[in-house]
Amino acid sequence: MAPARIIDGKAIAAKVRGEVKAEVDRRRAKGARAPGLATVLVGNDPASHTYVKNKRKAAAETGIESVHHELPDATTQAELLALIATLNADVTIDGILVQLPLPKHIDDRVVLRAIDPDKDVDGFHPESVARLVLGLPGFVSCTPLGCLRLLDEERVELKGARAVVVGRSNIVGKPMAQLLLQRDATVTIAHSKTRDLPAVVREADVVIAAVGRARLLKGDAIKPGAVVIDVGINRDAEGKMCGDVDFASASAVASAITPVPGGVGPMTIAMLMQNTLTSHARRLGLS
Ligand code: NDP
């Protein structure tokens, strides 16, 4: 069997950002204000600083105006909620992103629920989750949305396909399963209590791995010709970055597969830009 096609997430993410920029330019040429994304960072977690920096860089590149709010670790929940209330009321802000994790003394569920669902570009608000399940317009978590875009770019037929999502987190596994269901796939969600995981995954035409265990799924768990999307970001024993899928053995069996890094990773931020663009259109009544 021919080795799997490598799905180039970096290139597809660049394409998405290019589309966002072209649409922002088109709207601005017609006199619309720039889309606005508020980023909120509390504390000094170095990884969070990097994530927010990368999101702001993507915003600048696509013509989205990002307004950054950096708050000290000692910020109270009430102070953070007051900032969110201000951003909810600000007509120039289309998306509000609160970078997680928050300091331990702040309840992230309370904070995420305070964001106006119409500005919830991360798709974490319970209202956004409800809209996804009900098939109503809303925002979907960026990582699963990015996985769907990769499948679409690869022209993978989802209608009637057997899809197995490994992992049931609120931000990746569950919304991913909903998106696949919406596209008429027959969806199984596997998790840590699933019996004989390789046998379950071997049924799948489309495998989404969102577990967080280095190289958990080997080639013998992949059905020949399956499409494999690997969300996992792990370090192996040698400290090398790797996914939840053993790329070497799985790529010998799959028809297409995402690498780690360079697969799903770059898509998450690109889809955040797309969600902000969508919010801008809805709020200005452009679509
Ligand atoms: P969580 O830890 O929230 O969820 C992991 C899921 O995997 C759980 O549902 C858990 O099951 C399941 N699981 C754990 N061990 C096993 C096992 N041995 N067999 C089967 N299922 C198992 O992780 P996230 O969903 O947040 O993230 C998953 C991975 O994706 C991580 O590596 C993370 O770093 C990466 N990630 C990448 C992103 C990107 O932009 N590329 C964005 C977000 C995440 P149970 O529910 O039973 O505990």
Side-chain angles (χ1 to χ4, degrees):
M1 214 178 138
R5 230 173 26 253
I6 311 286
I7 303 174
D8 187 347
K10 227 173 140 180
I12 297 169
K15 179 178 171 186
V16 172
R17 290 196 304 273
E19 288 168 3
V20 172
K21 176 163 180 20
E23 180 58 20
V24 170
D25 289 348
R26 199 184 66 79
R27 291 180 194 171
R28 297 225 56 192
K30 287 187 171 171
R33 65 165 173 79
L37 173 67
T39 56
V40 180
L41 181 58
V42 188
N44 30 30
D45 176 49
S48 295
H49 271 266
T50 307
Y51 292 141
V52 170
K53 196 178 93 197
N54 291 338
K55 288 168 187 176
R56 298 194 66 214
K57 189 170 154 237
E61 201 185 302
T62 50
I64 292 171
E65 242 163 57
S66 70
V67 184
H68 186 51
H69 294 268
E70 205 161 312
L71 305 176
D73 202 53
T75 303
T76 64
Q77 183 165 305
E79 285 165 342
L80 181 54
L81 291 175
L83 171 61
I84 291 172
T86 309
L87 297 171
N88 282 343
D90 186 336
V91 291
T92 67
I93 295 296
D94 301 295
I96 301 172
L97 179 139
V98 177
Q99 185 64 46
L100 300 178
L102 290 168
K104 286 199 171 47
H105 63 277
I106 299 179
D107 185 341
D108 55 10
R109 287 167 310 178
V110 173
V111 172
L112 295 179
R113 275 169 209 204
I115 296 173
D116 179 346
D118 290 334
K119 298 187 178 188
D120 179 35
V121 286
D122 252 343
F124 294 163
H125 194 291
E127 172 73 26
S128 301
V129 177
R131 289 184 193 177
L132 171 64
V133 174
L134 297 171
L136 300 171
F139 294 106
V140 180
S141 177
C142 299
T143 301
L145 207 54
C147 294
L148 188 66
R149 179 66 190 257
L150 291 175
L151 292 168
D152 285 342
E153 287 286 327
E154 288 297 308
R155 300 185 188 286
V156 176
E157 173 70 282
L158 294 174
K159 193 174 180 176
R162 290 291 303 267
V164 173
V165 179
V166 189
R168 54 176 166 180
S169 71
N170 291 334
I171 60 164
V172 189
K174 284 180 195 162
M176 186 73 240
Q178 282 298 333
L179 286 172
L180 291 164
L181 188 61
Q182 248 177 29
R183 298 287 292 274
D184 297 327
T186 301
V187 184
T188 299
I189 306 176
H191 46 76
S192 69
K193 309 293 183 295
T194 297
R195 259 184 241 138
D196 197 355
L197 180 69
V200 172
V201 175
R202 220 174 288 125
E203 295 278 307
D205 304 306
V206 176
V207 179
I208 313 279
V211 185
R213 300 275 182 279
R215 303 192 183 98
L216 175 74
L217 300 173
K218 316 279 186 231
D220 63 359
I222 307 300
K223 176 170 154 181
V227 176
V228 179
I229 304 290
D230 189 352
V231 183
I233 303 175
N234 313 293
R235 296 270 170 196
D236 67 11
E238 281 82 53
K240 194 172 164 229
M241 192 191 274
C242 67
D244 294 337
V245 178
D246 178 41
F247 186 85
S249 59
S251 60
V253 189
S255 64
I257 186 167
T258 58
V260 177
V264 175
M267 294 302 291
T268 300
I269 293 183
M271 302 320 284
L272 176 69
M273 300 304 122
Q274 195 186 77
N275 276 350
T276 306
L277 184 76
T278 302
S279 178
H280 181 252
R282 285 185 189 145
R283 291 167 40 74
L284 296 184
L286 301 177
S287 67

